[in-house]
Amino acid sequence: MDANNKAMLLAGAAAVALMTLAPAHAAKALAEKPTVGDLVKASKPSDWRPLDPDNTVYMDLPGGRVIIELAPDFAPNHVANIKTLARDNYFDGLAVIRSQDNFVAQWGDADEKTPRPFKNAKAKLKAEFTVPLANDKRFTRLPDPDGYAAQVGHSNGFPSARDPKTGQAWLVHCYGMVGVGRDTDADSGGGSSLYAVTGHAPRHLDRNITVVGRVVSGMPLLSSLTRGPAPMGFYDKPEQYVPIGRFRVAADVPDAERSKFEVMRTDSAMYKAVVEAQRNRGGPWNKVAAGHVELCNAPIPVREAK
Amino acid sequence: MDANNKAMLLAGAAAVALMTLAPAHAAKALAEKPTVGDLVKASKPSDWRPLDPDNTVYMDLPGGRVIIELAPDFAPNHVANIKTLARDNYFDGLAVIRSQDNFVAQWGDADEKTPRPFKNAKAKLKAEFTVPLANDKRFTRLPDPDGYAAQVGHSNGFPSARDPKTGQAWLVHCYGMVGVGRDTDADSGGGSSLYAVTGHAPRHLDRNITVVGRVVSGMPLLSSLTRGPAPMGFYDKPEQYVPIGRFRVAADVPDAERSKFEVMRTDSAMYKAVVEAQRNRGGPWNKVAAGHVELCNAPIPVREAK
């Protein structure tokens, strides 16, 4: 493989190559355009917002830290309960107990005989599958149509959807989104069992699950876990469990130990450019622009703050 | 966690639960319906077709066998070349050299200084990004709209799309699809560098890459690989490479060593029912039916033949 081959699939070379398509479909080479990376480089500090330590949790796994931004606008009661669980040290010493290919990694208490007791947190809460539109004050709509929802876009850094007819808004199950495991009853979850999406967006779960946030850093620690051998990807032996060291609210962590990340403001002009850079990619590597971006293919840039 | 919690996210319990939604959005509980698993159990032998050993390749990794069904209707020249590469033992002893989170795992020759020579296979071929509609004789259209293509559906077990205006058909980059790595020039790939999609469908690659097939078994062997530390997920040390033992055309493997798999016929009435079971899931676990299925969320059942 020559050196250029390392640029395969996603090349960033400067020269504009000529296209070689069948004459019937001959088209001009796509003009070169800024990539998402170029736009991130060109962005201003005002295009970004820091993670709010009061609504960020750190889950320490053997391989490193998973950072989850919580979304109180969409699941206020579950977010509060998850923070209480964290402050009760509920998750510390529990484990990732499930990794199902192209679906989710899930963590919580695997001990069915002597389950970990709850202290100040609740075991179950009323479902927060959707919220009234009025709760979602920071929605920026994508112009692109979506098969699953009347409107889709981003709400302060989270992929979301809404239906003006029902007056509901909800978070969307894109890659990296975090939801609340539950039993058959809609109100049987409370946040003590959580999962992150590790595969293609399982959009049928939208409005059927309380979604509480998004992994902003550390997805590979969950997505590359060995898939569980039992049905639905559960691990079937304790030695397969991936132990959670500590699970803490960022605000409770000494400043020196905090991870400092910023998320691009999804209501910014720069973010609009980021989405367009994905919707219609430039040449020379790309030969055909998609002319569309599906919600879960719209990247939400995250970077370490300086 | 009690025993029922193991059924979280995807429950199969029989009882119909009552919904507890806010009165304004109160709705009937969804009727129970057959799941994809139920339909697979109820299917007849005629709903299935065996993998064609002449168009199936086995890639043996340390963790097991990855089985790829090739799609000669969509990339006849690349499929023929990949089979020649296999018969030249080109891939044997090469490695998976890239694992980029939420994108692809890629394999081929990492040695830039002394690349493995080609014997009977070609290093480069003319791109097969699309084919004329007439080449795709086994298309079953999904009624669901798609943002990226005028029409989507399945072509003999492969997710595909088409545009009657341009007269083109192409394979779609869903999870598990296999494509040909290339450099900036459209005609710079030949099949000696291949990748499988391991994340959310990167649909912007459609019509920009020659897609040659689909992993029908063994995806976890690729999707759970440690992500590479170098840009775009490349491994940067030889000890990180995941070695390919043998890469063979199934037809060349002694019958006793062959993996016998069947794929549900995507032009069958049973497959139509499978798609509907995903589009509108039944209760009691599900509370809201999606009313839509995105192409890459339509499962293509595969099973071991008896």
Side-chain angles (χ1 to χ4, degrees):
Chain A
M1 186 168 85
D2 66 34
N4 281 337
N5 273 349
K6 285 227 164 161
M8 282 177 300
L9 291 183
L10 278 175
V16 175
L18 288 172
M19 287 177 69
T20 44
L21 289 177
H25 311 124
K28 275 190 189 173
L30 295 177
E32 206 176 351
K33 286 178 59 174
T35 63
V36 173
D38 294 334
L39 293 166
V40 166
K41 273 186 203 159
S43 66
K44 295 174 190 166
S46 59
D47 295 322
W48 301 81
R49 63 173 175 79
L51 292 180
D52 173 5
D54 282 325
N55 285 303
T56 300
V57 289
Y58 298 154
M59 178 166 70
D60 294 330
L61 296 181
R65 182 177 282 181
V66 176
I67 302 176
I68 300 167
E69 184 176 26
L70 300 170
D73 289 351
F74 286 87
N77 298 326
H78 283 77
V79 165
N81 204 47
I82 289 166
K83 288 159 66 174
T84 302
L85 287 163
R87 287 169 171 152
D88 283 350
N89 302 110
Y90 175 83
F91 289 106
D92 302 358
L94 294 182
V96 183
I97 59 175
R98 176 187 187 191
S99 171
Q100 181 172 358
D101 196 54
N102 192 23
F103 194 39
V104 298
Q106 187 167 347
W107 57 94
D109 190 356
D111 191 339
E112 298 173 5
K113 288 183 185 165
T114 54
R116 183 166 292 203
F118 292 95
K119 296 177 196 166
N120 302 296
K122 296 213 166 74
K124 297 180 182 183
L125 290 173
K126 193 167 164 51
E128 296 177 299
F129 298 164
T130 66
V131 294
L133 283 182
N135 289 31
D136 175 23
K137 294 182 174 61
R138 295 177 280 193
F139 180 68
T140 306
R141 188 175 172 184
L142 281 184
D144 310 80
D146 182 82
Y148 288 98
Q151 299 180 4
V152 294
H154 295 88
S155 297
N156 196 35
F158 298 98
S160 65
R162 41 173 56 199
D163 184 351
K165 284 187 189 165
T166 63
Q168 296 173 319
W170 59 92
L171 293 181
V172 168
H173 275 86
C174 294
Y175 186 85
M177 293 297 283
V178 176
V180 172
R182 67 164 171 90
D183 208 336
T184 302
D185 182 5
D187 301 337
S188 57
S192 60
S193 178
L194 296 169
Y195 64 89
V197 173
T198 57
H200 188 77
R203 297 286 304 275
H204 58 277
L205 294 178
D206 293 356
R207 297 180 290 157
N208 280 300
I209 286 260
T210 299
V211 181
V212 294
R214 178 171 90 96
V215 176
V216 292
S217 177
M219 267 309 292
L221 299 168
L222 293 167
S223 60
S224 66
L225 292 177
T226 301
R227 279 37 176 163
M232 304 197 302
F234 279 95
Y235 297 128
D236 56 5
K237 295 195 183 78
E239 58 265 34
Q240 295 164 341
Y241 296 150
V242 179
I244 298 168
R246 289 184 294 185
F247 186 104
R248 294 175 291 175
V249 179
D252 301 343
V253 173
D255 192 67
E257 293 174 40
R258 284 191 203 164
S259 307
K260 304 286 171 62
F261 280 90
E262 297 179 317
V263 177
M264 186 175 280
R265 292 181 189 273
T266 48
D267 58 357
S268 66
M270 183 54 78
Y271 186 66
K272 202 169 179 179
V274 161
V275 173
E276 176 58 18
Q278 182 77 8
R279 183 186 292 119
N280 288 301
R281 294 181 173 218
W285 192 89
N286 296 285
K287 310 305 179 190
V288 180
H292 173 79
V293 65
E294 194 246 301
L295 176 65
C296 294
N297 272 326
I300 307 169
V302 172
R303 68 177 184 187
E304 285 200 77
K306 285 160 199 164
Chain B
M1 186 169 84
D2 66 34
N4 282 335
N5 273 350
K6 283 225 164 162
M8 283 178 298
L9 291 185
L10 278 174
V16 174
L18 289 172
M19 287 180 67
T20 45
L21 288 177
H25 312 124
K28 276 189 188 173
L30 294 177
E32 206 175 349
K33 285 178 59 174
T35 64
V36 173
D38 295 335
L39 293 166
V40 165
K41 273 185 202 158
S43 65
K44 296 174 189 166
S46 59
D47 294 323
W48 301 81
R49 62 174 174 80
L51 291 180
D52 172 6
D54 282 325
N55 285 303
T56 300
V57 291
Y58 299 155
M59 178 165 70
D60 294 330
L61 296 182
R65 182 178 282 181
V66 176
I67 302 176
I68 301 166
E69 184 176 26
L70 299 170
D73 288 352
F74 285 87
N77 299 327
H78 284 77
V79 165
N81 204 46
I82 289 165
K83 288 159 65 174
T84 302
L85 287 163
R87 288 170 171 150
D88 283 351
N89 302 109
Y90 176 82
F91 289 106
D92 302 359
L94 294 182
V96 182
I97 58 175
R98 175 188 188 192
S99 171
Q100 181 172 357
D101 197 53
N102 193 23
F103 194 39
V104 298
Q106 186 167 348
W107 58 93
D109 189 356
D111 191 339
E112 297 173 5
K113 288 184 187 168
T114 54
R116 184 166 290 204
F118 292 95
K119 296 177 196 166
N120 301 296
K122 296 212 166 76
K124 297 180 182 184
L125 289 173
K126 193 166 163 53
E128 295 176 300
F129 298 164
T130 65
V131 294
L133 283 183
N135 290 31
D136 175 23
K137 294 181 174 60
R138 293 176 283 193
F139 180 67
T140 306
R141 188 176 171 184
L142 280 183
D144 310 80
D146 182 82
Y148 288 98
Q151 299 180 4
V152 294
H154 295 88
S155 297
N156 196 36
F158 298 97
S160 65
R162 43 173 57 198
D163 184 350
K165 284 186 190 166
T166 63
Q168 295 174 319
W170 59 92
L171 293 181
V172 168
H173 275 86
C174 295
Y175 187 85
M177 293 297 283
V178 176
V180 172
R182 66 163 171 89
D183 207 335
T184 302
D185 183 5
D187 302 336
S188 57
S192 61
S193 177
L194 295 169
Y195 65 88
V197 174
T198 58
H200 188 77
R203 296 285 303 275
H204 57 275
L205 294 178
D206 294 355
R207 297 180 290 160
N208 280 301
I209 285 262
T210 299
V211 182
V212 294
R214 178 171 90 96
V215 175
V216 292
S217 177
M219 267 308 291
L221 299 169
L222 293 167
S223 60
S224 65
L225 292 177
T226 301
R227 280 34 175 165
M232 302 198 302
F234 279 94
Y235 297 128
D236 56 6
K237 296 194 183 79
E239 57 267 32
Q240 296 164 340
Y241 297 151
V242 179
I244 298 167
R246 289 184 296 185
F247 186 104
R248 294 175 290 175
V249 180
D252 300 342
V253 172
D255 192 68
E257 293 174 41
R258 284 192 203 164
S259 306
K260 303 286 171 62
F261 281 90
E262 297 178 318
V263 178
M264 187 174 278
R265 292 181 189 274
T266 48
D267 58 356
S268 66
M270 183 55 77
Y271 186 66
K272 201 170 179 179
V274 162
V275 173
E276 175 58 20
Q278 182 76 8
R279 181 186 292 119
N280 288 301
R281 294 180 173 218
W285 191 90
N286 296 286
K287 310 305 180 190
V288 181
H292 174 80
V293 64
E294 193 246 301
L295 176 65
C296 295
N297 272 326
I300 307 169
V302 172
R303 68 177 184 187
E304 284 200 78
K306 285 161 197 164

